[in-house]
């Protein structure tokens, strides 16, 4: 394993910890929504901001470590700078902790999903910039073909993370301009940047499957990149309409949302076409857990993000469901269902690369994944029904907001049940990781000095091995020379 990859363990560990924390907080939020009169030490607005921000930040933090791991493997060399990987970890970690802590204390700028105090957002900008700089410097000196699709896809996604985020660091006099740029992060990070990165790292992971053909996967990736860029940018249009833009944006957004599911279908088709079904039954325990989570991600990508997103973007439908609990259901299915599961899958793959996965942990992992899926489906189904009732009771029955909330109360209780099930799953997976960290701390949190020492020892061992080979070769050469002399002497005697 490359030293760059060893530094990714700490990213994975903290990702699972943030993931477990998010599950607990989200359950508290669901409880507060259903029973708003219960005493709560954290105000609802602060708790909601915490939930929204951690839902974006922990997958982004996790994908950073995952990118370093697979990018170095695809580039066939160490990352340009190990120190930058280490610095990236600490800058990002401190930024996330500070943002979440400040939101709980009420420091809130009021921009949904971007509520963090503006100076703290500089930490995110620095983190994603460090990632891209390390990637591009590695890419430029790598000996592999520069057209390798996995590298290009990851680079393109990492670069667009910066492009879409930096404008949100500025202040704008007009609220419409601010709302427009907000969706460059809320929508385009998910529908373009993380799509590109996710496609690249997922392809890099599945290329190790038996029968997988790089040429087939790379052709699909380039086609995916084209479709993602086109649809991701223009499908954002329905957000522009609700932010105050012209009416034609809702039609542009609806039209291009119809083909946003195509990239997922293409990649799924390529994998299914090149890998025989029998290989999946020969996978080890780690690979089985990973494949179940990847399959979950693909399912929600197609049905939760793709098809549901398409139906919601149809102008005649969007007019009535915008801002209801249907939007919340779509957010859960798209953000966690797609990218959350993908980050967990590849993080799990990395973590158990050198750490043994015992049978009990394997079974608990499968139980955790089952609870995550069951909880997410129950929660999303309840939100979909609640959102449908909101639309009907508001627009058709003409009830007030208070009367509507009373009508959807049973579905909010069901949402709470789904949330508790989800939190059970997240807590199980987090427990498994923390338990393994306890006995493998040095492996999970290696210092640069220790890694450099390991590299020096390895080089010394290699040098010693070469010397032994050279010595053995010299002795062999001497034996062969003596044998030749004896053979010549024998011929002369004849």
């Amino acid at each position: 394993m490359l030293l760059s990859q060893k530094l990714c363990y700490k990213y994975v560990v903290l990702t699972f910890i943030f993931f477990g924390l998010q599950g607990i907080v989200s359950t508290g939020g669901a409880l507060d929504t259903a029973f708003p009169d219960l005493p709560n030490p954290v105000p609802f607005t602060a708790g909601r901001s915490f939930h929204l921000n951690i839902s974006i930040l922990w997958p982004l933090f996790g994908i950073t470590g995952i990118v370093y791991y697979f990018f170095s493997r695809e580039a066939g060399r160490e990352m340009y700078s190990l120190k930058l990987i280490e610095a990236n970890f600490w800058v990002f970690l401190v930024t996330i902790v500070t943002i979440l802590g400040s939101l709980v204390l009420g420091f809130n700028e009021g921009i949904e999903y971007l509520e963090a105090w503006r100076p703290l957002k500089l930490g995110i900008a620095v983190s994603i910039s460090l990632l891209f700089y390390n990637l591009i410097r590695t890419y430029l000196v790598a000996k592999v073909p520069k057209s390798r699709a996995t590298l290009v896809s990851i680079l393109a996604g990492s670069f667009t993370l910066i492009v879409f985020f930096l404008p949100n660091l500025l202040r704008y006099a007009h609220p419409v301009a601010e709302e427009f740029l907000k969706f460059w992060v809320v929508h385009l990070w998910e529908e373009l940047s993380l799509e590109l990165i996710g496609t690249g790292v997922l392809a890099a992971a599945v290329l190790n499957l038996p029968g997988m053909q790089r040429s087939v996967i790379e052709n699909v990736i380039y086609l995916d990149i084209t479709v993602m860029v086109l649809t991701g940018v223009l499908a954002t249009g329905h957000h522009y309409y609700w932010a105050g833009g012209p009416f034609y944006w809702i039609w542009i957004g609806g039209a291009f949302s119809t083909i946003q599911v195509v990239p997922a279908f293409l990649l799924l088709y390529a994998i299914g076409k090149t890998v025989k079904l029998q290989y999946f039954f020969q996978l080890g325990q780690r690979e089985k857990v990973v494949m179940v989570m990847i399959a979950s991600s693909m399912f929600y990508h197609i049905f939760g993000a793709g098809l549901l997103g398409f139906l919601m973007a149809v102008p005649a439908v969007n007019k009535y469901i915008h801002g209801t609990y249907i939007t919340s259901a779509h957010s859960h299915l798209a953000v966690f269902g797609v990218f959350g599961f993908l980050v967990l899958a590849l993080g799990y793959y990395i973590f158990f690369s050198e750490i043994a996965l015992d049978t009990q942990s394997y079974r608990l992992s499968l139980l955790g994944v089952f609870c995550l899926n069951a909880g997410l489906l129950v929660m999303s189904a309840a939100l979909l029904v609640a959102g449908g009732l909101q639309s009907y009771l508001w627009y058709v029955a003409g009830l007030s907001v208070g009367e509507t909330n009373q009508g959807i109360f049973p579905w909010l209780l069901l949402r709470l049940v789904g949330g508790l099930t989800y939190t059970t799953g997240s807590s199980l997976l987090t427990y498994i990781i923390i338990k393994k960290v306890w006995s493998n701390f040095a492996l999970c949190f290696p210092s640069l000095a220790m890694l450099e020492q390991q590299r020096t020892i390895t080089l010394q061992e290699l040098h010693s091995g070469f010397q032994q080979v050279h010595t053995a070769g010299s002795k062999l050469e001497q034996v062969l020379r003596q044998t030749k002399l004896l053979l010549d002497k024998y011929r002369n005697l004849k």
Side-chain angles (χ1 to χ4, degrees), residues 26 30 40 117 142 172 243 268 283 297 311-312 362-363 398 471 490:
S26 62
N40 191 342
W117 190 38
Y172 301 91
L268 182 62
L283 296 174
S297 175
L311 292 173
M312 291 175 59
Y362 165 67
R363 291 173 178 170
T471 303
Y490 175 74

Side-chain angles (χ1 to χ4, degrees), residues 105-335:
L105 293 175
F107 294 94
N108 192 317
E109 292 208 341
I111 305 173
E112 191 177 31
Y113 289 97
L114 298 172
E115 293 96 337
W117 190 38
R118 203 169 298 265
L120 296 179
K121 295 175 188 174
L122 286 172
I124 299 176
V126 170
S127 300
I128 57 181
S129 298
L130 286 174
L131 171 65
F132 178 72
Y133 179 75
N134 212 350
L135 294 180
I136 194 66
R137 291 299 299 266
T138 306
Y139 174 78
L140 292 174
V141 297
K143 302 300 182 184
V144 299
K146 294 294 185 287
S147 59
R148 179 162 287 186
T150 49
L151 300 180
V152 173
S153 185
I154 293 171
L155 276 173
S158 302
F159 179 67
T160 55
L161 282 176
I162 302 171
V163 171
F164 296 140
F165 187 75
L166 288 181
N168 284 277
L169 295 178
L170 305 176
R171 294 185 181 274
Y172 301 91
H174 203 291
V176 172
E178 197 167 63
E179 281 290 299
F180 265 52
L181 292 172
K182 180 189 79 172
F183 285 107
W184 285 17
V185 174
V186 176
H187 190 273
L188 284 175
W189 262 19
E190 178 194 342
E191 301 293 346
L192 181 56
S193 302
L194 292 178
E195 285 271 10
L196 290 169
I197 295 173
T199 298
V201 293
L202 179 58
V206 300
L207 278 170
N208 284 340
L209 290 175
M212 187 60 66
Q213 300 174 24
R214 181 176 289 275
S215 59
V216 175
I217 292 296
E218 293 204 340
N219 289 335
V220 170
I221 289 176
Y222 275 115
L223 183 57
D224 276 0
I225 291 174
T226 304
V227 177
M228 286 175 195
V229 172
L230 181 64
T231 59
V233 172
L234 294 175
T236 314
H238 65 274
H239 292 296
Y240 295 159
Y241 167 72
W242 289 105
F247 184 71
Y248 59 74
W249 274 118
I250 197 171
W251 287 97
I252 293 174
F256 283 92
S257 291
T258 61
I259 50 177
Q260 279 193 301
V261 73
V262 170
F265 272 119
L266 289 174
L267 188 59
L268 182 62
Y269 174 77
I271 295 172
K273 190 74 173 177
T274 54
V275 180
K276 295 181 180 179
L277 185 62
Q278 66 191 48
Y279 291 124
F280 290 99
F281 297 103
Q282 300 171 3
L283 296 174
Q285 291 182 339
R286 176 191 68 160
E287 286 72 20
K288 286 179 181 176
V289 176
V290 171
M291 290 306 296
V292 169
M293 286 195 277
I294 289 177
S296 301
S297 175
M298 297 298 289
F299 171 81
Y300 295 115
H301 200 151
I302 293 170
F303 295 100
L307 296 179
L308 179 59
F310 155 63
L311 292 173
M312 291 175 59
V314 174
V317 177
N318 193 257
K319 178 181 177 181
Y320 294 99
I321 67 171
H322 186 84
T324 66
Y325 279 117
I326 292 177
T327 304
S328 180
H330 173 64
S331 299
H332 284 81
L333 293 170
V335 177

Side-chain angles (χ1 to χ4, degrees), residues 485-494:
L485 290 174
L486 289 172
L487 287 173
D488 291 341
K489 185 176 180 179
Y490 175 74
R491 291 192 188 97
N492 291 333
L493 288 173
K494 289 180 67 176

Side-chain angles (χ1 to χ4, degrees), residues 28 50 69 104 117 230 240 263 282-283 314 365 380 429 452 462 468-469:
F50 185 100
Y69 185 92
V104 170
W117 190 38
L230 181 64
Y240 295 159
Q282 300 171 3
L283 296 174
V314 174
S365 296
S380 299
L429 289 174
E452 290 295 344
L462 284 173
Q468 291 176 7
V469 171

Side-chain angles (χ1 to χ4, degrees), residues 31-40:
L31 184 64
D32 198 19
T33 302
F35 302 99
D37 294 330
L38 289 177
N40 191 342

Side-chain angles (χ1 to χ4, degrees), residues 23 27 367-368 371-372 417-430:
T27 301
L367 178 60
C371 289
L372 287 176
V417 172
L420 288 170
T421 307
Y422 171 93
T423 302
T424 301
S426 65
S427 299
L428 275 174
L429 289 174
T430 304

